[in-house]
Amino acid sequence: MLRIGIIIGSTRPNRNGKAVGKWAYEIARKRSDAEFELIDLKDFNLPLLDEPIPPSLGQYSHEHTKAWAGKIDSFDGFVFVTPEYNHGTSGALKNAIDFLFKEWNNKAVGFIGYGGASGVRAVESLRLVMGELMIADVRAQVGLSLFADFENFSVFKPGPQQAQAVNTMLDQVIAWSEALKGLRKISFSSGS
Ligand SMILES: Cc1cc2nc3c(=O)[nH]c(=O)nc-3n(C[C@H](O)[C@H](O)[C@H](O)COP(=O)(O)O)c2cc1C
């Protein structure tokens, strides 16, 4: 069975990201075409990238990196739940992405963005990063507006169409995760 990790990409106190991640996970786990796990970046307590050797060489020295690498390696595809901070993704999510390399390669990803402008610019910024990590980013994405999908910008009340948007995005993530299975057996050179 394919394994898809849903990653909560914000870590600050009072974050909206946890409610969004839990909601997406509850929708996903009703499906029978993949297994899903909710991953909270906060639980991994990663410092700012502190590995002395570039992650693309795969020589991790710290226990926190090995724990994060082991978790990410166990999945075939991902959903990044990203806030929009200053027109980009969160520093915490970008840092967690930067920590690893081969554990991301030849897998698929879909996005759930949220914020004042539904997280669309945060998702676009992540799409630029995905190519370097050889993660295939699917077209369908979910955009949650602080104005329409939250009360008082903090109580998550997604519009009725949003659950279908999650499933449409998951359809694509699962199809691409399956299609890339063959590539995951190949080790590409990390040369840039
Ligand atoms: C540092 C910071 C920068 C933000 N910048 C933007 C922004 O550029 N565009 C936007 O639409 N919303 C922006 N927002 C609103 C956030 O997207 C919104 O507060 C969201 O809930 C943040 O995710 P979190 O609660 O999980 O941390 C910003 C919020 C913070 C804290």
Side-chain angles (χ1 to χ4, degrees):
M1 180 76 84
L2 288 171
R3 280 177 42 77
I4 308 295
I6 299 173
I7 301 177
I8 299 174
S10 67
T11 55
R12 69 180 184 94
N14 292 330
R15 61 196 163 143
N16 284 322
K18 193 155 188 178
V20 176
K22 280 184 168 172
W23 165 78
Y25 173 70
E26 289 304 324
I27 294 167
R29 74 194 195 100
K30 293 193 177 84
R31 300 175 64 113
S32 55
D33 50 356
E35 281 174 11
F36 297 89
E37 186 175 322
L38 187 59
I39 303 154
D40 191 344
L41 277 189
K42 209 168 163 52
D43 293 339
F44 288 83
N45 210 16
L46 291 167
L48 287 174
L49 178 59
D50 61 350
E51 284 292 338
I53 296 176
S56 56
L57 299 178
Q59 296 169 41
Y60 305 138
S61 59
H62 298 300
E63 286 311 311
H64 54 254
T65 313
K66 291 176 189 168
W68 179 233
K71 178 55 71 182
I72 294 306
D73 201 37
S74 74
F75 295 105
D76 300 291
F78 304 96
V79 174
F80 290 160
V81 178
T82 180
E84 181 165 310
Y85 290 164
N86 299 314
H87 292 201
T89 191
S90 67
L93 180 55
K94 179 61 166 56
N95 184 57
I97 291 169
D98 291 343
F99 252 97
L100 307 179
F101 186 76
K102 75 171 174 43
E103 295 79 5
W104 299 117
N105 295 172
N106 302 312
K107 298 178 179 176
V109 69
F111 303 98
I112 299 175
Y114 59 96
S118 303
V120 290
R121 294 165 296 213
V123 171
E124 288 299 302
S125 77
L126 279 167
R127 288 187 187 279
L128 283 177
V129 176
M130 298 296 98
E132 177 61 9
L133 291 166
M134 295 190 287
I135 309 181
D137 51 319
V138 306
R139 177 175 187 248
Q141 69 186 58
V142 182
L144 299 162
S145 161
L146 278 190
F147 298 95
D149 297 300
F150 292 81
E151 269 177 20
N152 299 323
F153 309 115
S154 57
V155 181
F156 186 42
K157 297 259 174 85
Q161 78 286 8
Q162 298 292 11
Q164 180 56 52
V166 172
N167 274 313
T168 302
M169 177 270 292
L170 288 176
D171 288 345
Q172 296 184 4
V173 171
I174 290 165
W176 284 28
S177 298
E178 177 71 32
L180 290 168
K181 260 184 180 169
L183 279 184
R184 287 198 286 281
K185 295 184 189 123
I186 300 170
S187 180
F188 290 100
S189 145
S190 63
S192 57

